[in-house]
Amino acid sequence: DEYAIGYALALLDRLETEAKNSDCSRGQHGCAIVTADTLELLSMCINGAAVYGAGCKRPDEPGNCGCVHAETNALIADRQSSLIDRFAFVTGAPCESCADNLIAAGIKRVIYRRITRIGFAGAETLSKAGIPHGTVADFYGPGGSARGATAVHRESHHLPL
């Protein structure tokens, strides 16, 4: 529906803006956790060093730079019970470790703006766990791509939606 598309795109835009504040030199990412029924915002976080301003410990190691990932920060900040159905909105598809964390936390759906090189393993992990995931366009149709969400080809990435 129009509200869900608009909300999803606005939230991803806000995450992209907030992620610019990350002190990670490898990449700036954001994650928001929302309730599945009303899309109420429960937490919104970016990636970065455990001590703000410290930056990456290993900037040349993709996916292992030493920064705490946005998904992990958002799950820590989300004080809701895992009995509440929740969705995660992420600027990029999660890495394999973050996908595992989202699954363990009981997240019911993961919506991302784009899939990155590291995100392919996370997407596969989500698929194996039966967690619906993809871009806004995947969930809400072509109207979801009007502001930059890129459709992911389900066939080539095995994304069950």
Side-chain angles (χ1 to χ4, degrees):
D1 78 355
E2 290 297 316
Y3 173 77
I5 293 170
Y7 181 85
L9 291 171
L11 185 55
L12 287 168
D13 286 347
R14 184 169 171 202
L15 284 169
E16 293 279 359
T17 299
E18 293 294 328
K20 292 176 184 173
N21 293 315
S22 170
D23 60 355
C24 179
S25 61
R26 289 215 38 89
Q28 291 73 43
H29 298 283
C31 178
I33 307 295
V34 303
T35 58
D37 54 356
T38 62
L39 301 179
E40 175 188 350
L41 183 64
L42 301 173
S43 68
M44 181 180 338
C45 294
I46 61 174
N47 65 317
V51 177
Y52 185 75
C56 298
K57 296 175 190 172
R58 298 173 294 277
D60 297 328
E61 295 183 38
N64 192 31
C65 68
C67 287
V68 180
H69 290 200
E71 298 90 339
T72 301
N73 282 330
L75 289 170
I76 291 168
D78 173 22
R79 303 280 183 220
Q80 300 300 314
S81 164
S82 61
L83 299 176
I84 298 171
D85 286 347
R86 296 163 296 154
F87 293 166
F89 285 82
V90 193
T91 53
C95 70
E96 187 172 13
S97 178
C98 286
D100 285 336
N101 291 339
L102 293 168
I103 293 163
I107 298 298
K108 302 295 184 197
R109 178 179 290 179
V110 180
I111 301 165
Y112 38 83
R113 167 118 332 139
R114 63 189 167 278
I115 191 162
T116 62
R117 178 176 38 88
I118 291 176
F120 284 111
E124 186 173 324
T125 298
L126 292 169
S127 292
K128 287 178 181 176
I131 305 295
H133 61 96
T135 66
V136 174
D138 289 329
F139 285 103
Y140 303 111
S145 62
R147 293 179 54 202
T150 306
V152 175
H153 301 287
R154 291 183 203 105
E155 305 79 38
S156 60
H157 302 304
H158 311 289
L159 304 180
L161 301 173

